């Protein structure tokens, strides 16, 4: 194991038992415990709830103890009663029984003392039967089924844990897929017996690579003695868990080797760090030093909060205080936050937004609603709440965001969409991240709420929704506009939002502008908001068209962020629901370490290749339509029938991607009837097909990359031009080039900077078919005088000439065969490609010429 990671508790501990001075502190007093609510716990996003109340699990593990002659581990119910009473008095609300199925009477005792129980089903004990299954082997499904029946429906039940730490070497022997199928089968057995019961599996870092998306919540045993590494690993676990809660099912420190004082100090930061990182709960290992394993008492370690005689250690008081203050200390100096909600005709959903903001658990915030010229009852609804309402003419989303920024009085400004509502601790997690980092902005996840209808459920699982892009587990490249917050001073320093983005794209632009200044963005996995998805195909179609237009606008403003066909190149990895399924042939690899000994064994997904990502691009569908058009010309000229299989081959990846996306979609809230689930899968598949087509339409409306004019249409030379200018005053070359670049961007020109190994300084794109490049050189002369040399020349990408040559060759072949219709269409295509190449090169050359003249007139040249 890693030297910073203690051995998993079930393993042997070595070393001498040290003499400890046992303090005589008494158990803190408390009022009478409250029995658990008869309502069963449920999962909502990253948290557990009982009814409308969020449930933070403040737990301890309990056992294993020496069994009686009949093998019953929890036979002394009088001792259990005393232990549970002491736990309840210490602020503990949950008990984890890790290894043996407890009797129902134990759950009755827990209920009397206001405790809930995580019941371990011990499936790890039977995993060996997947390798060898003798005739006497038990029916594992029936064993688990009978155990679930013992406590199904009990009001003290928190959840079932299928197993605890299947050994890493055994999992490596079996292979991850076999272990995953084994656990999924047992999950279904539990759900058949207790459909409302929550189900988890207790994993640990050595088998982190297991992918178990069917589980209701994610539990990990983690023993890390470095706070920094523990924080980093918690962030990783949240990204593995996705939209599900994360619970630390074991953490702790041995009091013998480290001393009871160090145990208390370590448990204090472990518990506080886990809750601050967004964990829904923590189980401390363990309640007592009394521990029995493999036929004898374990006496060479002391992980308990109490000693074997139940006298409390200092760790018990430390944990009690940390539990009482979870998720954060109330004494923190929380910054003032201005929450800005921008709305245009959001009357259908803004009431939910205002209600959610009214119930925020945060001490210092204001709410500003900017009504951007709505014609419905948005303003009337907002007035019924304690908000500042600002009404403006309809100027678009970015302008409304800037209006809210100008009115904000907080040192942090947080933005929430009018079709979203926050978790009560939304601002708390955002503010805590700002307090502990230097990030300019922080975002969090957005999750579709249940109950919006079957179409909204499918839209939530279709591509095109708001997602976040992470560079690391805690640093973001992009945070979506429905859940983002910024330091007010930083946002003002870049001039706020760009008002040209009226409906979408403003969030991407502002993130890139902040990072362009050298600032960073953060991400907190539980600073979450509930974001309603579109609940009709028409509104989804319109939304994706708007996103397509925003993509085209962003590509014009940030050409360096896009490849040659206009597809964004993210540095980080995209996270969120509804991501498109990426076709690929490379398998994921598990890092096991030499001989399977690595303490952290991760699954490494191969990065999607360009070929695998092509069906996600709107331009792919444009190419498919073009091939279909050429195939249609085969009616007039038979050799073009070759385009028929090519067009089919172009369609198949998109269809396969959509079908796989629909097949992998999960609908936990759908009716159990198979017809309802298959109807949802079919609709989700359809949305996967529709989404890139809608994006394509939006990009065509704004100017699709292949034929967009990226600079004004002006005639210019199509040959290299060299110019020398004498300057009487010294100016740094970078200053001249930056001024030229800024001037071109102000004019709406698509301009790129040369890279570190480029023999050019600026490139002006005329379009997909043509561009021009500029190189500047400076000769230094006496008296600070300079001779500035400039050369610019046309650049012709291979795509334009190649397309023209291919179409011309096909046109010639058709004319030889007297297929005049086909020849005319193909010839026109060749002429169009050649003309566009000349036009775009000429326009780019003219644009550089005029920029040089403007630079000369400004006396920088």
């Amino acid at each position: 194991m890693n030297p910073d990671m203690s051995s998993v508790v079930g393993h042997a501990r070595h070393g001498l038992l040290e003499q400890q001075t046992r303090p005589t502190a008494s158990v803190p007093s408390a009022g009478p415990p409250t029995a658990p609510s008869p309502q069963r716990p449920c999962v909502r996003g990253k948290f557990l709830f009982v009814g409308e109340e969020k449930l933070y699990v403040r737990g301890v593990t309990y056992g294993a103890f020496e069994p009686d002659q009949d093998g019953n581990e929890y036979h002394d119910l009088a001792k259990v009663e005393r232990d549970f009473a002491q736990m309840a008095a210490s602020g503990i609300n949950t008990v984890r029984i890790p290894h043996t199925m407890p009797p129902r009477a134990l759950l009755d005792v827990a209920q009397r003392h206001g405790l809930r129980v995580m019941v371990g089903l011990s499936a790890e004990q039977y995993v060996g039967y997947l390798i060898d299954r003798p005739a006497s082997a038990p029916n594992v499904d029936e064993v688990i089924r009978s155990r679930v029946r013992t406590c199904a429906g009990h009001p003290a039940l928190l959840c079932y844990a299928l197993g605890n730490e299947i050994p890493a070497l055994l999992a490596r022997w079996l292979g991850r897929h076999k272990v995953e199928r084994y656990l999924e089968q047992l999950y279904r057995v539990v759900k058949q017996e207790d459909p409302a019961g929550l189900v988890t599996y207790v994993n640990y870092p050595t088998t982190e690579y297991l992918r178990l998306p069917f589980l209701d919540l994610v539990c990990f045993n983690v023993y890390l003695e470095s706070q920094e590494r523990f924080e980093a690993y918690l962030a990783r676990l949240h990204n593995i868990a996705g939209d599900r809660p994360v619970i630390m099912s074991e953490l702790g420190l041995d009091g013998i080797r480290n001393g009871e004082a160090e145990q208390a100090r370590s448990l204090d930061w472990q518990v506080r760090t886990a809750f601050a990182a967004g964990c829904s709960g923590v189980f401390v290992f363990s309640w007592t030093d009394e521990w029995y394993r493999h036929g004898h008492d374990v006496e060479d370690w002391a992980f308990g909060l109490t000693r074997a005689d139940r006298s409390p250690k200092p760790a018990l008081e430390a944990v009690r205080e940390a539990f009482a203050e979870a998720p954060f200390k109330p004494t923190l100096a929380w910054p003032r936050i201005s929450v800005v909600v921008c709305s245009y005709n959001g009357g259908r959903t803004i009431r939910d937004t205002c209600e959610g903001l009214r119930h925020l658990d945060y001490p210092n915030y204001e709410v500003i609603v900017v009504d951007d010229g709505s014609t419905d009852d948005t303003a009337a609804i907002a007035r019924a709440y304690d908000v500042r309402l600002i009404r403006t003419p309809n100027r678009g989303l970015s302008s409304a965001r800037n209006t809210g920024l100008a009115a904000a009085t907080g040192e942090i400004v947080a933005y929430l969409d009018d079709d979203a509502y926050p978790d009560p601790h939304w601002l708390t997690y955002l503010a805590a991240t700002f307090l502990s980092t230097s990030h300019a902005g922080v975002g969090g996840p957005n999750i579709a709420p249940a109950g919006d209808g079957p179409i909204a459920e499918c839209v939530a699982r279709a591509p095109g929704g708001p997602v976040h892009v992470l560079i690391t587990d805690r640093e973001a490249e992009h945070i979506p506009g429905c859940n983002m917050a910024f330091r007010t001073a930083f946002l003002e320093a870049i001039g706020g939002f760009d008002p040209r983005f009226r409906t979408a794209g403003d969030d991407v632009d502002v993130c890139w502008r902040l990072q362009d200044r050298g600032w960073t963005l953060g991400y907190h996995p539980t600073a979450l908001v509930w974001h309603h998805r579109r609940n009709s195909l028409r509104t989804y179609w319109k939304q994706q068209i708007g996103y397509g237009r925003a993509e085209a606008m962003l590509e014009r403003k940030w050409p360096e962020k896009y490849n040659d066909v206009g597809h964004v190149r993210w540095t980080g990895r995209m996270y969120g629901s509804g991501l498109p399924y990426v076709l690929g042939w490379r398998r994921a690899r598990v890092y096991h370490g030499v001989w399977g000994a690595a303490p952290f064994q991760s699954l490494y997904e191969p990065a999607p290749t360009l070929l695998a990502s092509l069906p996600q691009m709107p331009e792919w569908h444009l190419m498919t339509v073009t091939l279909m058009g050429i195939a249609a010309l085969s009616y007039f000229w038979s050799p073009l029938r070759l385009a028929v299989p090519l067009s089919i081959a172009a369609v198949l990846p998109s269809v396969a991607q959509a079908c796989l996306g629909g097949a992998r979609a999960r609908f936990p809230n759908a009716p159990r009837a198979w017809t309802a689930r298959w109807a949802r899968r079919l609709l989700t598949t359809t949305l996967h097909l529709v989404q890139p087509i809608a994006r394509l339409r939006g990009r065509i409306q704004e100017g699709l990359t292949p034929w967009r004019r990226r600079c004004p249409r002006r005639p210019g030379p199509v040959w290299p031009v060299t110019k020398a200018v004498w300057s009487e005053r010294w100016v740094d070359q970078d200053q001249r080039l930056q001024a030229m670049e800024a001037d071109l961007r102000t004019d709406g020109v698509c301009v790129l900077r040369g890279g570190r190994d480029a023999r050019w300084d600026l490139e002006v794109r005329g379009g997909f078919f043509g561009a021009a490049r500029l190189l500047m050189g400076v000769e230094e002369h006496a008296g600070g005088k300079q001779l500035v040399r400039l050369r610019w020349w046309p650049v012709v990408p291979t795509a334009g000439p190649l397309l023209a040559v291919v179409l011309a060759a096909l046109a010639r072949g058709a004319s030889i065969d007297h297929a005049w219709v086909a020849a005319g269409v193909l010839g026109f295509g060749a002429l169009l490609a050649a003309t566009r190449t000349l036009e775009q090169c000429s326009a780019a050359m003219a644009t550089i010429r005029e920029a040089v003249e403007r630079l000369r007139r400004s006396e920088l040249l």
Side-chain angles (χ1 to χ4, degrees):
M1 298 292 280
N2 187 301
D4 283 328
M5 184 175 184
S6 300
S7 301
V8 177
V9 173
H11 299 170
R13 265 79 169 181
H14 301 285
L16 297 175
L17 178 64
E18 300 173 359
Q19 293 293 325
Q20 304 284 347
T21 302
R22 297 186 176 182
T24 58
S26 61
V27 178
S29 61
T34 303
S37 165
Q39 290 183 283
R40 305 198 65 179
C42 64
V43 169
R44 295 181 197 163
K46 300 289 291 183
F47 296 103
L48 295 173
F49 282 81
V50 178
E52 296 303 314
E53 183 178 352
K54 185 181 290 185
L55 173 64
Y56 282 108
V57 172
R58 302 170 172 92
V60 292
T61 65
Y62 190 61
F65 301 122
E66 183 176 3
D68 63 10
Q69 59 186 4
D70 297 322
N72 299 315
E73 184 178 327
Y74 300 96
H75 54 87
D76 189 348
L77 290 180
K79 180 186 286 188
V80 172
E81 188 96 37
R82 292 191 298 272
D83 284 342
F84 283 10
Q86 192 176 1
M87 290 177 193
S90 301
I92 292 163
N93 66 6
T94 313
V95 180
R96 179 184 166 215
I97 308 297
H99 303 294
T100 303
M101 188 68 195
R104 194 174 181 92
L106 183 144
L107 275 72
D108 294 337
V109 175
Q111 183 183 10
R112 285 197 295 273
H113 293 282
L115 302 176
R116 295 187 184 272
V117 181
M118 175 191 280
V119 173
L121 299 177
S122 304
E124 76 279 0
Q125 297 176 6
Y126 305 100
V127 72
Y129 292 128
L130 296 176
I131 304 172
D132 301 306
R133 188 174 181 84
S136 59
N139 185 323
V140 179
D141 286 7
E142 289 305 315
V143 170
I144 299 299
R145 195 182 304 277
S146 65
R147 291 179 178 177
V148 172
R149 287 172 182 164
T150 302
C151 55
H154 197 287
L157 179 68
L158 175 75
C159 66
Y160 302 95
L162 294 175
N164 179 72
E165 298 185 359
I166 291 175
L169 294 179
L170 189 55
R172 180 168 174 252
W173 175 276
L174 290 165
R176 70 181 184 93
H177 294 297
K178 200 165 189 176
V179 176
E180 290 164 359
R181 288 193 296 269
Y182 170 70
L183 292 174
E184 185 169 11
Q185 171 61 25
L186 297 184
Y187 166 86
R188 290 175 179 161
V189 168
V190 175
K191 287 293 188 179
Q192 288 168 4
E193 293 299 319
D194 191 357
L198 300 180
V199 184
T200 187
Y201 164 72
V202 177
N203 207 345
Y204 68 135
T206 316
T207 54
E208 172 203 294
Y209 55 82
L210 293 175
R211 289 295 178 259
L212 309 170
F214 47 86
L215 296 177
D216 298 310
L217 55 150
V218 174
C219 290
F220 265 78
N221 297 341
V222 180
Y223 290 85
L224 281 168
E225 297 175 16
S226 161
Q227 185 173 1
E228 182 180 355
R229 294 188 183 185
F230 186 54
E231 288 176 346
Y233 194 64
L234 288 174
R236 175 171 179 78
L237 291 182
H238 275 291
N239 286 326
I240 290 173
D243 293 342
R244 295 171 295 170
V246 174
I247 290 180
M248 290 291 97
S249 42
E250 280 183 22
L251 51 76
L253 192 73
D254 179 14
I256 290 180
R257 289 163 185 77
N258 300 281
E260 290 187 352
E262 178 59 23
Q263 180 193 26
R265 190 195 69 82
S266 179
L267 280 174
D268 179 73
W269 69 251
Q270 286 185 54
V271 171
R272 294 183 188 277
T273 300
F275 281 115
C279 289
S280 188
V282 168
F283 287 94
V284 175
F285 183 86
S286 65
W287 169 245
T288 176
D289 286 345
E290 180 190 353
W291 217 70
Y292 185 88
R293 202 69 174 150
H294 303 305
H296 59 85
D297 291 324
V298 178
E299 297 180 344
D300 65 342
W301 56 260
F303 277 75
L305 298 179
T306 65
R307 303 178 184 89
D309 63 1
R310 301 315 193 262
S311 58
K313 297 181 183 178
L316 180 60
E317 176 62 18
V319 168
R320 186 192 67 79
E321 290 183 3
F323 277 167
E325 295 177 348
F328 296 100
K329 285 186 176 181
T331 55
L332 283 175
W334 295 105
R336 181 166 175 79
I337 299 180
S338 299
V339 180
V340 176
V341 180
C342 302
S343 183
Y344 174 69
N345 290 340
R348 187 178 64 86
T349 55
I350 198 169
R351 191 182 303 277
D352 285 349
T353 306
C354 293
E355 280 289 334
L357 291 170
R358 187 164 67 90
H359 290 96
L360 283 174
D361 185 7
Y362 191 77
N364 189 10
Y365 73 101
E366 65 174 344
V367 178
I368 301 168
V369 175
V370 181
D371 180 5
D372 187 37
S374 297
T375 58
D376 64 357
D377 58 351
T378 296
I381 295 172
R383 282 197 189 99
Y385 294 88
D386 183 20
V387 303
R388 290 176 60 193
L389 176 64
I390 302 175
R391 304 194 70 182
T392 66
N394 180 241
R395 301 191 186 103
L397 178 58
S398 289
S399 178
R401 291 200 200 274
N402 287 334
T403 300
L405 174 63
T409 62
E411 57 191 278
I412 294 169
V413 56
Y415 289 94
L416 182 70
D417 280 0
D418 64 354
D419 58 353
Y421 59 93
D423 176 83
H425 294 97
W426 172 54
L427 291 184
T428 307
Y429 287 113
L430 288 176
T433 309
F434 279 113
L435 288 174
S436 61
T437 69
S438 60
H439 293 312
V442 177
N446 65 98
I447 302 175
D452 281 352
I455 294 179
E457 277 190 76
C458 296
V459 169
R461 289 154 180 81
V467 297
H468 51 277
V469 183
L470 298 187
I471 301 171
T472 68
D473 288 321
R474 291 181 286 182
E475 183 178 339
E477 181 178 7
H478 165 63
I479 48 180
C482 59
N483 182 7
M484 60 183 182
F486 304 97
R487 298 185 195 271
T488 306
F490 285 54
L491 196 54
E492 290 173 339
I494 63 169
F497 294 84
D498 187 339
R500 80 184 76 175
F501 297 99
R502 292 182 57 87
T503 59
D506 57 308
D507 51 351
V508 180
D509 174 67
V510 82
C511 289
W512 285 344
R513 285 161 58 206
L514 288 166
Q515 291 169 98
D516 204 40
R517 292 282 192 97
W519 298 325
T520 59
L521 302 173
Y523 176 80
H524 197 291
T526 48
L528 71 88
V529 302
W530 298 94
H531 189 204
H532 296 286
R533 300 310 197 250
R534 299 300 189 266
N535 62 356
S536 74
L537 297 179
R538 183 180 64 85
T539 54
Y540 177 72
W541 172 261
K542 290 178 64 177
Q543 178 197 47
Q544 296 307 310
I545 290 175
Y547 286 171
R549 296 188 64 179
E551 283 179 342
M553 294 169 65
L554 284 166
E555 192 265 343
R556 180 184 291 120
K557 185 175 181 180
W558 298 90
E560 64 273 16
K561 300 284 189 181
Y562 288 76
N563 60 21
D564 290 339
V565 295
H567 195 67
V568 66
R569 294 182 292 195
W570 294 109
T571 301
R573 180 180 174 185
M574 300 176 70
Y575 291 85
S577 60
L579 289 174
Y581 187 91
V582 178
L583 298 173
W585 51 90
R586 294 183 296 174
R587 296 178 58 187
R589 296 180 298 107
V590 177
Y591 169 73
H592 290 292
V594 177
W595 297 340
F600 296 85
Q601 300 188 18
S602 303
L603 182 69
Y604 290 89
E605 300 280 359
T609 62
L610 176 62
L611 188 62
S613 302
L614 280 175
Q616 301 174 36
M617 300 182 184
E619 292 80 3
W620 176 268
H621 295 265
L622 181 65
M623 183 201 72
T624 302
V625 172
T626 303
L627 285 173
M628 288 179 174
I630 294 174
L633 289 176
S634 64
Y635 178 80
F636 303 100
W637 188 40
S638 58
L640 290 179
R641 289 174 184 165
L642 180 62
V644 175
L646 290 177
S647 60
I648 295 174
V651 169
L652 284 178
S654 300
V655 174
Q657 181 192 76
C659 291
L660 288 169
R664 72 169 187 165
R666 293 179 176 273
F667 299 94
N669 300 312
R672 301 188 69 181
W674 69 270
T675 52
R677 294 183 178 273
W678 275 104
R680 283 168 168 76
R681 293 188 189 281
L682 181 60
L683 179 55
T684 305
T685 300
T686 304
L687 293 174
H688 274 76
L689 289 170
V690 163
Q691 186 264 345
I693 298 172
R695 291 280 180 105
L696 174 63
R697 179 171 176 179
R699 296 183 70 169
I700 288 175
Q701 289 177 351
E702 188 60 34
L704 190 67
T705 298
W707 56 70
R708 176 192 301 161
R709 292 191 209 99
R710 305 197 186 196
C711 57
R713 181 185 288 176
R714 304 183 183 98
V718 288
W719 53 84
V721 175
T722 302
K723 189 179 185 67
V725 180
W726 180 259
S727 176
E728 291 290 331
R729 68 189 185 95
W730 189 91
V731 178
D732 184 71
Q733 175 171 313
D734 284 356
Q735 185 179 350
R736 290 191 175 102
L737 288 170
Q738 288 172 5
M740 198 171 182
E741 179 188 33
D743 178 55
L744 289 166
R745 289 189 186 275
T746 302
D747 203 26
V749 175
C750 180
V751 58
L752 290 173
R753 289 185 178 186
R756 288 175 295 182
D757 57 351
R759 291 196 59 196
W760 52 272
D761 298 317
L762 295 175
E763 178 182 298
V764 169
R765 288 187 177 178
F768 181 70
F769 294 104
R773 289 175 178 169
L774 170 86
L775 176 65
M776 181 181 291
V778 179
E779 289 184 13
E780 304 290 347
H781 291 268
K785 298 178 177 60
Q786 296 175 311
L787 179 63
V788 182
R789 300 184 184 276
L790 300 110
R791 182 167 70 247
W792 61 96
W793 63 95
V795 178
V796 182
T798 57
L802 180 62
L803 179 62
V805 168
V806 170
L807 291 176
L810 291 173
R812 175 172 173 76
S815 64
I816 291 173
D817 290 345
H818 305 292
W820 303 116
V821 174
V825 173
L826 294 168
F828 177 76
L831 181 62
L832 181 62
T835 302
R836 294 293 285 170
T837 300
L838 288 172
E839 178 196 350
Q840 291 178 4
C841 287
S842 174
M845 290 289 287
T847 300
I848 291 181
R849 179 185 62 199
E850 294 179 10
V852 170
E853 285 302 312
R854 288 195 296 269
L855 190 67
R856 187 181 62 80
R857 289 195 296 270
S858 69
E859 298 184 356
L860 286 176
L861 191 61

